[in-house]
């Protein structure tokens, strides 16, 4: 429907709102639309109609309007007075509906007053376009299909039970689709739909719309049905034969067209058409089609529509029909039919072997007096009048062989089908090879026969042909359509192919409905515009047709009435130029590539933008799909790619994500907006190609996006130039290797069916030449794999020339930049010399250049063994401020022929010597150094490679001076910590060095004084480690989420926050990927100021696509206060999968369950081991893996089994990243569910059991003690509860750290005591990054902390002894209960001393049978030794009781040790001695 038309076709509907405003009822209507369900929104207040301003007008507001009016779903909400400006007041400035309200009055809205008084005008009146209450879905156009009505929430099918033709007539009339010609039943519902409309419609047929028809609820609330009702409407539904004004079984053929009876033109009228008319009228079969005596004066009453029946149809409206360019039907040239009527004669079978005499009346004007059930059609030619010739006989469609096939044969076919004259007789399967029988061969028609099978031939079914010889025809009535333009597919000069020639179409009157039919027929969308501003077209051609007037019932241009065909139907200046909505083009600008940038649309010759109001990922998905740019990664607003220019075409875009084009999504309306270009929307798409399964986005398996899924590219004929194009397109520098034989994933049987033939200079893979793989199957041994690097080009420059000595420069994004000398090491220099073919590094200096913007601050951490600099670990985050003259330089040995001596390991260099500080020794050294198991290249266990074996250093005498040498040698800054006792885990292999005594100035750690190479008295549990200042770690800090929180980086030994400026989407993606939290995320700016104090380490982070971790991203230099606390970054990553441990009694043990797609599922225990468990425990922040359980140890789960045959190495960030059979691929049941027991985030060590000792938390790699500074009892209570250890009974400080451990947790925990676990307690970094302490915090917990004495239900200083065990008070057994125990209870309760321990009350199941063995001096019962093994049977009356002295003032006498009490005395059995 055309939104721009301001024509009301019907009376307006007025409904009362349910709200009374100002004492008067408010009414609502839509005005000046094409029907009652579209138009300008008007409300009535105080007796006067007024409008609504389009300020904040949205699809939700429109939805409520449509629902209130019973007009179906909202499909548009145009503003800007799209339906013309209203008159009278502007009653509402805005409404703010949620979209679920029943009426507009239920929505929040502005005060009702006349806003014209506030200078508002009608130029911004709001409008609505609704779908209507009923539609026909799933048919060929809007006039046929399944009947569905709108429930207010969704389209619901109508049952075919008791569905009547009068109801169908109302629907067809309401939709502007003429009359109902059939009602079909048994149309099965869609599988996804279990709903059916719960009412039956009882229309009489004269109602103006379905909404007002009587309805009755279905009996019992359930409609009886076999399926959905289906309706076919047609403008050609009524036909009659007229003689002398009466309708019977012979006469002139007339049709009711839009309520007017019109005669049909005899041109192209065929016997097949006549047979259908007779059958439709119940008049038998056609006897003849005479040209009289039924004559009528021609004129406006004659319809020029041409029907192309096969003869088998039941109704004339079922036949293909064309009306475009109908003949000039003059006087007496109308179609007539004589039907057999009630005649009883039986017609003889037709004789196929004889042709009719040429020129006979029967052959030209009438049907033969015989019966013929065969049918004829033309297929695969684009219409009913061109294609391969096929005949139906005995239930099978077959073809004709092209032997002897010529125009005479083709003439018979064209005439038989009512398709005019034959223009061409084609052979050699011109329209494709058919199937089935070959019915005829060696035809020899005269051209006059009535049926092609009546021509002479070899005989029915006799031939010596194959289907590659199938015959075809192009008739004069064959029509084709196209738009002619230099560079556009869906815009151009409209041309029609008629009578064998392309010619133009005239543009008068050509209304919107005609343009819509044309665009739809061409597959160019549902609407378009007729352009009249173009200049005269060059060249000459026929102007075939004018006066085209399409109707809603027409599904193609050929059905639309028009003036007759004419070679010159108009002048060349009136030729039609059409721009369909799909002629619009889309692009992404200023984003660095075709798949990211500002969204721009070309329309009417101008590029314009989209406003970012409501712009989200669903909108971005449509744009990315439309451009063939893969998946949508981000939808950006606020002109992040710069402000555009030109028109702003769209605003308030609300795509579902499934639309084929962004301009098909609901919006304000075309060029309706309230924006400026500072609000231009942008998109970042994944692109057509990606590298998957490698270490980051710049290496891995080559995959391209098919539109639905990522598909691997075969390694067959995959070339390095193609790889170069891919690396360049991905912003990943140059291709450094192409690998093949990368096996496809087991789940993927698909491979891209083309080979790319790039030359290497193309801007992107999309534009490279491609060839289909031979036979549709690409030859391959696996998927192509590519490795790219942004750091692929390096040179040494001296005085402007590149050679084997000079300043180190790298080509970064096409620009040569010097490297900063900070952290530049001899190992790095050696790699550069090797890469350039310049031998080994002799020295690191001294070529200086003025620093500045041309200096790259990336730091490389080479071991020295790499072949290329890009193979070395690299960090760029917080790079130093590289000022004047501080650039890296190298002197390589080049072509020198001298052999360098071996290095002397036993001697250290003089401290401060130039050699030790600036240059490599003039000796050859093949040893390599690395740090492992520390989470990065700058922390971990120290290992040295020599003679092919990696070995360790013993921690005897290991200190910061030794560690300084290691950190300096690796380009990792200063040493923060020298760890011992295998802090980073025990290594293996040799122990190369022991008793090191470095000065800190040596160039290599093996040049420090030591016992000697390979001499030691150590074991690997004494392996030395290092934490350097350049060691970096990353985390998100949150109370309860793993993948969302405040972003913190560990630098220089302290956790600190990260600043959020500018932090674009690519930076957030790198962070989330590094943390194992998915591939994207969002930066949240709405959080309040964070509590506590910490460093704000770094700002200005600008990651690139080549960066695989945050450490590689350029940024401003490190600074303790890089921004204010209000600018700290809070990130939410988008990883949808979650993991938990269930039914294990706590968050760190239980059955492993994964949440995906809304369902929790399990892992099968096949091959489940401790390495798999390690990944799970690390992922949950639950410490070490203690056990990997199988056989549903924690009970059988439910839901899906997500993984099987998991084979983790133990280092993966998430268990679903481990090798496995494939997602949801398994051969298990839930009796095989895997489980895990982890140590937890916190533990107590060095005490007597797991419930007392030094507090340590797990850093991810190692257990780290917590400082006793500011450590509180509430924090201890949380720890004891988390560990299942009852309550905290003491917090001790001043516990010395282990000698080997110089590390302390860099945060203080601020628990309130009610938190479920320590992980969720608030934390604050220690001031200055160092926790004030005198040692490690130590805790003692006890499950035996609460005790009471109970008498008659009250607690006092005498009575039965009870303890609170796991929240339940339980009596203690008297067996082994002693006076010493009793004294401790009295002391603990503040009740003095024990007077006696009398027998207690009856026992029960609530008796606690633990036995305490107190000495009597303890302050608390939980401090006494306790045993529970082999507990006695505590039967009736055998509960412990105590009588304490309470507040009695008597002083107990001293006990007489020399006198024992008599055995069996009451005192000895029941009471304490009355002595002290």
């Amino acid at each position: 429907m055309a939104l721009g038309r301001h024509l009301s076709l019907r009376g307006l509907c007025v409904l009362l709102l349910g709200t009374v405003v100002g004492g008067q009822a408010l009414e609502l209507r839509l005005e000046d639309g094409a029907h009652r369900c579209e138009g300008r929104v008007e409300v009535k207040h105080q007796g006067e109609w007024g409008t609504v301003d389009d300020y904040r007008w949205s699809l939700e507001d429109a939805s409520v309007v449509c629902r209130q009016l019973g007009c179906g779903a909202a499909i548009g909400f145009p503003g800007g007075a799209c339906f013309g400006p209203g008159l009278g007041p502007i009653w509402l400035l805005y409404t703010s509906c949620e979209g679920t309200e029943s009426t507009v009055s239920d929505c929040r809205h502005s005060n009702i007053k006349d806003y014209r008084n506030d200078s508002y005008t009608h130029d911004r009146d709001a409008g609505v376009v609704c779908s209507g209450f009923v539609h026909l879905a799933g048919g060929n156009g809007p006039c046929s299909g399944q009947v569905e009505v709108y429930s207010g929430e969704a389209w619901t099918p109508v049952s075919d039970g008791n569905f009547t033709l009068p109801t169908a007539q109302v629907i067809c009339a309401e939709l502007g689709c003429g009359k109902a010609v059939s009602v079909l039943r048994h149309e099965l519902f869609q599988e996804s739909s279990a709903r059916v409309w719960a009412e039956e419609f009882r229309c009489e047929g004269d109602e103006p719309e379905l909404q007002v028809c009587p309805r009755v609820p279905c009996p019992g609330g359930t409609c009886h049905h076999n399926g959905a009702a289906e309706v076919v409407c047609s403008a050609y539904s009524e036909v009659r034969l007229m003689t002398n004004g009466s309708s019977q079984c012979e006469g002139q053929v007339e049709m009711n067209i839009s309520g007017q009876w019109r005669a049909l033109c005899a041109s192209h009228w065929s016997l097949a058409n006549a047979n259908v008319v007779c059958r439709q009228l119940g008049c038998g079969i056609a006897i003849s089609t005479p040209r009289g005596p039924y004559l009528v004066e021609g004129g406006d009453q004659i319809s020029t529509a041409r029907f192309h029946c096969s003869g088998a149809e039941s109704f004339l409206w079922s036949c293909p029909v064309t009306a475009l360019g109908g003949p000039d039907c003059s006087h007496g040239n109308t179609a007539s039919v004589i039907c057999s009527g009630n005649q009883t004669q039986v017609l003889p079978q037709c004789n196929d072997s004889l042709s009719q005499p040429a020129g006979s009346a029967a052959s030209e004007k009438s049907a033969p007096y015989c019966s013929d059930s065969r049918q004829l059609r033309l297929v695969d030619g684009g219409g009913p009048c061109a294609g391969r010739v096929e005949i139906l006989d005995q239930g099978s469609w077959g073809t004709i062989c092209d032997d002897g096939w010529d125009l005479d044969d083709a003439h018979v076919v064209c005439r038989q089908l009512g398709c005019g004259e034959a223009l061409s007789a084609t052979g050699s399967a011109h329209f494709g090879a058919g199937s089935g029988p070959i019915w005829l061969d060696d035809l020899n028609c005269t051209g006059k026969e009535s049926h092609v099978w009546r021509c002479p031939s070899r005989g029915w079914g006799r031939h010596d042909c194959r289907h590659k010889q199938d015959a075809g025809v192009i008739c004069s009535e064959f029509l084709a359509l196209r738009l002619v333009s230099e560079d556009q597919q869906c815009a151009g000069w409209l041309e029609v192919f008629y009578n064998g020639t392309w010619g133009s179409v005239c543009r008068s009157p050509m209304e919107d409905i005609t343009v819509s039919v044309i665009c739809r027929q061409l597959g160019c969308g549902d609407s378009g515009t007729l352009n009249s501003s173009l200049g005269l077209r060059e060249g000459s051609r026929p102007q075939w047709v004018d006066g085209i007037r399409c109707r809603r019932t027409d599904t193609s241009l050929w059905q639309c009435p028009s003036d007759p065909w004419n070679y010159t139907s108009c002048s060349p200046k009136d030729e039609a130029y059409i721009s369909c909505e799909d002629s619009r083009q889309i692009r992404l600008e200023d984003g660095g590539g075709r798949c990211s940038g500002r969204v721009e649309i070309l329309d009417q010759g101008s590029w314009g933008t989209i406003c970012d109001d409501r712009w989200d990922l669903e909108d971005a998905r449509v744009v990315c799909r439309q451009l063939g740019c893969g998946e949508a990664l981000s939808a950006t607003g606020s002109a992040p790619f710069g402000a555009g220019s030109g028109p702003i075409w769209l605003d308030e875009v609300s795509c579902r994500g499934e639309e084929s084009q962004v301009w098909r999504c609901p919006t304000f309306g075309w060029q309706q907006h309230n924006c400026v270009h500072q609000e231009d929307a942008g998109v970042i798409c994944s692109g057509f190609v990606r590298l998957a399964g490698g270490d980051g986005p710049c290496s891995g398996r080559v995959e391209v996006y098919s539109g639905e899924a990522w598909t691997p590219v075969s390694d067959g004929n995959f070339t390095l130039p193609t790889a170069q194009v891919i690396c360049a397109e991905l912003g990943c520098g140059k291709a450094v290797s192409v690998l093949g034989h990368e096996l496809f994933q087991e789940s993927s049987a698909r491979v891209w069916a083309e080979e790319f033939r790039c030359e290497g200079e193309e801007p992107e893979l999309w534009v490279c030449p491609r060839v289909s793989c031979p036979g549709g199957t690409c030859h391959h041994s696996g998927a192509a794999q590519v490795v790219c690097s942004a750091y692929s080009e390096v040179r040494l420059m001296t005085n402007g020339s590149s050679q084997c000595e000079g300043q180190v420069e790298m080509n970064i994004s096409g620009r040569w930049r010097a490297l900063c000398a900070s952290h530049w090491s001899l190992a790095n220099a050696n790699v550069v010399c090797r890469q350039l073919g310049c031998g080994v590094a002799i020295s690191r200096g001294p070529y200086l250049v003025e620093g500045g913007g041309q200096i790259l601050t990336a730091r490389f951490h080479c071991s020295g063994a790499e072949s290329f600099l890009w193979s070395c670990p690299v960090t760029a985050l917080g790079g130093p401020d590289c000022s004047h003259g501080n650039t890296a330089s190298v002197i390589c040995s080049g072509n020198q022929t001298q052999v360098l001596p071996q290095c002397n390991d036993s001697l250290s260099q003089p401290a401060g010597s130039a050699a030790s500080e600036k240059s490599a020794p003039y000796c050859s050294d093949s040893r390599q150094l690395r740090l492992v198991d520390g989470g990065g290249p700058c922390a971990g266990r120290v290992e040295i490679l020599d003679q092919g074996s990696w070995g360790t250093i013993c921690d005897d005498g290991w200190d910061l001076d030794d560690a300084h040498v290691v950190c300096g040698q690796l380009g990792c800054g200063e040493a923060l910590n020298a760890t011992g006792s295998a802090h980073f885990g025990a290594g293996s292999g040799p122990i190369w060095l022991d008793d090191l005594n470095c000065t800190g100035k040596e160039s290599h750690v093996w040049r420090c004084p030591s016992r000697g190479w390979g001499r030691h008295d150590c074991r690997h549990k004494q392996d030395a480690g290092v934490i350097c200042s350049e060691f970096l770690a990353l985390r998100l800090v949150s109370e309860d989420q793993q993948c969302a929180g405040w972003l913190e980086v560990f630098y220089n030994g302290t956790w600190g926050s990260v600043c959020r400026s500018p932090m674009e989407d690519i930076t957030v993606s790198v962070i989330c990927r590094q943390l194992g939290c998915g591939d994207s995320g969002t930066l949240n700016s709405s959080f309040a100021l964070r509590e506590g104090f910490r460093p704000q380490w770094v700002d200005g982070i600008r990651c690139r696509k080549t960066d695989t971790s945050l450490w590689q991203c350029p940024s401003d230099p490190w600074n303790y206060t890089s921004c204010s606390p209000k600018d700290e970054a809070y990130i939410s990553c988008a990883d949808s999968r979650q993991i938990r441990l269930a039914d294990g009694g706590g968050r760190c043990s239980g059955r492993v369950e994964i949440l995906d797609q809304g369902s929790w599922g399990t892992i099968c225990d096949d091959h489940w081991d401790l390495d798999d468990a390690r990944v799970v425990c690390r992922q949950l922040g639950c410490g070490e893996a203690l056990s990997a359980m199988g056989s549903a140890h924690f009970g059988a789960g439910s839901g899906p089994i997500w993984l099987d045959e998991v084979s983790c190495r133990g280092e993966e960030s998430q268990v679903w990243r481990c090798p496995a059979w494939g997602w949801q691929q398994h051969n298990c049941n839930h009796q095989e569910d895997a489980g895990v027991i982890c140590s937890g985030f916190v533990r107590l060590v060095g005490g007597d059991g797991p419930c007392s000792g030094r507090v340590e938390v797990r850093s991810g790699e190692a257990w780290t003690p917590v400082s006793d500074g500011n450590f509180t009892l509430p924090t201890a209570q949380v720890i004891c509860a988390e560990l299942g250890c009852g309550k905290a009974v003491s917090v001790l400080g001043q516990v010395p750290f282990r000698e080997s451990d110089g590390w302390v947790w860099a945060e203080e925990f601020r628990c309130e005591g009610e938190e479920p676990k320590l992980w969720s307690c608030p934390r604050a970094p220690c001031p200055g990054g160092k926790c004030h302490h005198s040692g490690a915090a130590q805790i003692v917990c006890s499950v035996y902390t609460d005790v009471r004495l109970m008498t008659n239900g009250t607690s006092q200083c005498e009575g039965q002894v009870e303890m609170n065990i796991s929240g339940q008070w339980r009596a203690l057994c008297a067996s082994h209960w002693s006076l010493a125990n009793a004294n401790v209870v009295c002391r603990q309760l503040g009740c003095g001393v024990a007077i006696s321990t009398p027998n207690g009350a009856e026992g029960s199941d609530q008796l606690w049978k633990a036995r305490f063995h107190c000495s009597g001096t303890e302050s608390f019962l939980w401090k006494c030794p306790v045993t529970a093994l082999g507990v006695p049977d505590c039967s009736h009356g055998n509960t412990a009781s105590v009588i304490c002295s309470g507040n009695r003032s008597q002083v107990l006498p001293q006990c007489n040790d020399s006198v024992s009490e008599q055995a069996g005395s009451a005192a000895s059995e029941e009471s304490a001695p009355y002595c002290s």
Side-chain angles (χ1 to χ4, degrees), residues 704-725:
V704 292
Y705 200 71
S706 65
E708 300 299 328
W710 289 101
T711 307
V713 173
S714 158
D715 62 359
N717 297 320
F718 190 90
T719 64
L720 186 61
T722 299
Q724 295 291 10
V725 171

Side-chain angles (χ1 to χ4, degrees), residues 8 105 238 275 337-339 431 522 531 567 569 659 900 958 1060 1178 1234 1254 1368 1449 1458:
S8 180
S105 293
E238 292 186 273
N275 262 314
V337 176
I338 298 175
C339 303
F431 293 102
L522 290 169
N531 295 10
Y567 193 87
S569 295
E659 295 84 353
L900 299 181
W958 184 252
R1060 67 185 182 206
R1178 182 188 307 109
R1254 181 175 62 254
Q1368 187 178 33
S1449 56
S1458 63

Side-chain angles (χ1 to χ4, degrees), residues 115-148:
Y115 286 90
R116 291 180 300 175
N117 299 329
D118 296 335
S119 300
Y120 288 89
T121 69
H122 284 293
D123 291 338
R124 292 174 57 98
D125 284 346
V128 166
V129 181
C130 309
S131 62
F133 174 62
V134 64
H135 72 186
L136 299 177
N140 184 24
C143 292
S144 66
Q146 179 176 288
V147 181
E148 294 181 349

Side-chain angles (χ1 to χ4, degrees), residues 536-553:
L536 196 65
R537 187 181 177 194
E538 294 182 358
S540 60
R541 67 210 62 81
Q543 290 82 36
W544 272 132
V545 66
D546 197 8
I548 304 173
R549 294 169 291 273
C550 296
R551 303 149 297 189
R552 277 195 75 177
T553 52

Side-chain angles (χ1 to χ4, degrees), residues 1021-1090:
K1021 66 179 181 180
Q1022 295 170 267
D1023 284 344
V1026 163
I1027 300 171
C1028 305
S1029 60
E1030 285 291 302
F1031 167 63
L1032 303 169
L1034 195 65
R1035 69 181 181 185
L1036 293 172
V1037 177
S1038 167
E1039 289 188 8
D1040 57 356
Q1041 297 186 68
Q1042 182 179 354
C1043 288
W1046 298 99
L1047 180 64
E1048 290 191 351
V1049 62
F1050 184 86
Y1051 173 68
N1052 211 23
T1054 305
W1055 285 102
S1057 60
V1058 175
C1059 305
R1060 67 185 182 206
S1061 174
M1063 202 166 288
E1064 297 176 348
D1065 286 346
I1066 187 66
T1067 300
V1068 177
S1069 294
V1070 168
I1071 292 165
C1072 291
R1073 195 179 298 119
Q1074 182 172 345
L1075 290 168
C1077 286
D1079 291 328
S1080 63
T1082 55
L1083 182 67
N1084 296 10
S1085 56
S1086 59
F1087 281 84
L1089 195 65
R1090 188 180 176 196

Side-chain angles (χ1 to χ4, degrees), residues 126-212:
V128 166
V129 181
C130 309
S131 62
F133 174 62
V134 64
H135 72 186
L136 299 177
N140 184 24
C143 292
S144 66
Q146 179 176 288
V147 181
E148 294 181 349
V149 292
Y150 199 73
S151 66
E153 300 299 328
W155 288 103
T156 308
V158 173
S159 158
D160 62 359
N162 297 320
F163 190 90
T164 64
L165 187 62
T167 299
Q169 295 292 11
V170 171
I171 292 170
C172 290
E174 179 177 352
L175 295 176
C177 288
K179 292 220 171 183
V181 291
S182 72
V183 175
L184 309 177
R185 295 184 175 85
H186 311 297
E187 170 73 11
L188 297 181
F189 294 115
Q190 299 168 348
E191 290 184 19
S192 61
S193 175
R195 297 179 59 195
V196 62
W197 190 255
E199 298 174 310
E200 293 175 0
F201 294 93
R202 301 286 176 85
C203 302
E204 297 180 5
D206 296 319
E207 294 85 354
E209 57 191 44
L210 185 65
Q211 178 89 0
V212 301

